[in-house]
Amino acid sequence: MNYTLHQLQVFLKITQTKSITKAAEELHLTQPAVSIQLKNLQEQFEIPLTEIIGRKLHVTDFGKELAVAAEKILNEVHAINFKTLAHKGLLSGRLKLSVVSTGKYVMPYFLSGFLKQHAGVELVMDVTNKSKVLECLENNETDFALVSILPEHLKVSNVELMQNKLYLVGRELEGDGSRHHGIELFEKLPLIYREPGSGTRLTMERFISSNKISVGKKIELTSNEAVKQALLAGIGYSIMPLIGIKNELNQKDLKIIPVDGLPLITSWNLIWLHNKSFSPVAEAYLNYIQQEKSSIIQKHFDWVDKYKD
């Protein structure tokens, strides 16, 4: 046997994604490069690791067993690397975060300085919707989660990072003249919603329900980027977090439409399970956030203040 750690890493990613294309995307490799690594690994075993049925890749039982072993081996390699750095007096280990999809516009700025200070820290960040973020947190699969709505069913501790303002956004209304509108405007517009489980959708639905708004045409899309592209195409309007549309507002491709009761204001919170036992890396990161959050906000998010309530 002469397989390499790189081959095991590629194979493990293939088993996780069930796709050579998706594995290549997540590993930042070309599709042919991933196929070659799989072929080279397969040549060392007489039993098939994968099979193609109806153009779909399936992992064999033997392949699944090898994937479990590969993950253990790779985890041990990571542990050796971390211990080497620790003996040098450097902070090392994995920092695991689960972030709601719109949080991708926020979280990197609260990470970059910490990662630059500690080269031995490996970041693992999953970006998904609110329901999956909370599921990951509840299963103790992550150190911290970033959410804009605090969970009611979990006992968590939190650090509030910054405000999250949501406005009605879209292409300019005909004959609008930048005038202020009453909430009855919502009944005249095609509204675009995020998918169920999204924190943005929950905030939007609470506003519409509390104001007894009768929604006409309703469109549902499964990501913040998909909603934004639909708005740019003039398909409809949506209540969106300001943080995700900075460039579109600056370029005047989208416009905030003033409406009674808006903006809706929530807060970005870094949360963790109450009484969680932190790793040295997680504890160091929490200390960093508590000390540096004000300067991070001032440096990267001062533009938010020009959009007054």
Side-chain angles (χ1 to χ4, degrees):
M1 295 294 176
N2 193 30
Y3 46 79
T4 66
L5 291 174
H6 183 55
Q7 288 170 356
L8 293 179
Q9 181 187 32
V10 170
F11 179 66
L12 180 60
K13 185 59 68 175
I14 290 171
T15 64
Q16 292 170 340
T17 61
K18 304 293 191 300
S19 164
I20 289 176
T21 301
K22 291 179 181 178
E25 291 174 356
E26 294 192 17
L27 292 170
H28 305 290
L29 297 172
T30 64
Q31 193 170 333
V34 170
S35 295
I36 289 171
Q37 293 300 322
L38 176 60
K39 178 177 178 291
N40 291 341
L41 182 64
Q42 177 63 77
E43 287 177 349
Q44 300 177 66
F45 301 96
E46 296 180 2
I47 306 172
L49 301 175
T50 62
E51 54 186 350
I52 303 296
I53 302 175
R55 296 187 178 182
K56 186 175 181 181
L57 184 143
H58 295 266
V59 182
T60 66
D61 289 341
F62 177 67
K64 291 175 183 177
E65 291 179 11
L66 181 61
V68 171
E71 186 170 19
K72 290 179 180 178
I73 291 169
L74 292 169
N75 285 337
E76 288 299 321
V77 171
H78 284 302
I80 291 170
N81 293 337
F82 295 150
K83 287 176 182 177
T84 301
L85 291 168
H87 277 287
K88 292 180 180 180
L90 301 174
L91 183 67
S92 62
R94 284 183 175 178
L95 177 64
K96 295 179 288 185
L97 298 170
S98 190
V99 177
V100 294
S101 56
T102 313
K104 65 178 175 285
Y105 302 110
V106 176
M107 201 68 234
Y109 297 99
F110 288 91
L111 284 165
S112 59
F114 180 77
L115 295 175
K116 287 176 182 176
Q117 288 178 16
H118 305 289
V121 172
E122 178 184 341
L123 174 66
V124 179
M125 187 169 78
D126 181 35
V127 180
T128 183
N129 68 28
K130 175 175 171 279
S131 294
K132 292 181 180 178
V133 165
L134 295 182
E135 180 182 344
C136 186
L137 185 71
E138 188 172 11
N139 293 335
N140 200 28
E141 296 170 356
T142 188
D143 296 313
F144 301 102
L146 181 71
V147 296
S148 59
I149 301 174
L150 291 175
E152 297 177 356
H153 69 289
L154 289 178
K155 193 172 184 180
V156 299
S157 299
N158 71 292
V159 172
E160 184 177 323
L161 298 184
M162 55 184 284
Q163 281 190 338
N164 178 36
K165 296 182 179 181
L166 298 95
Y167 293 85
L168 180 65
V169 180
R171 301 293 292 269
E172 187 167 1
L173 293 170
E174 289 187 21
D176 174 41
S178 297
R179 67 185 181 87
H180 206 90
H181 299 270
I183 58 173
E184 64 274 5
L185 176 67
F186 283 96
E187 300 181 359
K188 305 174 184 177
L189 301 177
L191 291 182
I192 302 176
Y193 285 68
R194 284 285 306 279
E195 78 284 2
S198 159
T200 299
R201 175 173 178 144
L202 179 60
T203 302
M204 183 172 172
E205 285 182 329
R206 284 176 175 173
F207 172 76
I208 288 172
S209 176
S210 64
N211 285 281
K212 297 180 172 58
I213 298 169
S214 177
V215 177
K217 187 176 180 181
K218 178 177 173 181
I219 303 164
E220 183 178 299
L221 298 174
T222 58
S223 75
N224 198 67
E225 286 302 313
V227 172
K228 189 157 56 175
Q229 292 304 315
L231 298 182
L232 290 168
I235 292 175
Y237 298 81
S238 187
I239 294 178
M240 292 195 71
L242 177 65
I243 202 73
I245 53 174
K246 177 184 178 182
N247 293 336
E248 288 74 17
L249 291 175
N250 287 341
Q251 295 165 11
K252 302 188 185 305
D253 294 324
L254 292 177
K255 180 184 176 184
I256 290 175
I257 300 167
V259 180
D260 291 344
L262 298 183
L264 305 176
I265 299 177
T266 60
S267 293
W268 292 111
N269 281 272
L270 192 70
I271 65 174
W272 60 95
L273 290 176
H274 189 64
N275 294 328
K276 179 176 175 62
S277 297
F278 284 132
S279 68
V281 169
E283 186 171 2
Y285 180 64
L286 181 57
N287 290 335
Y288 169 83
I289 286 297
Q290 291 170 331
Q291 295 170 11
E292 301 294 333
K293 72 169 188 174
S294 296
S295 61
I296 293 169
I297 292 169
Q298 184 176 4
K299 181 178 180 180
H300 297 290
F301 298 105
D302 60 341
W303 63 271
V304 171
D305 290 336
K306 79 175 186 179
Y307 295 94
K308 302 301 181 183
D309 296 353

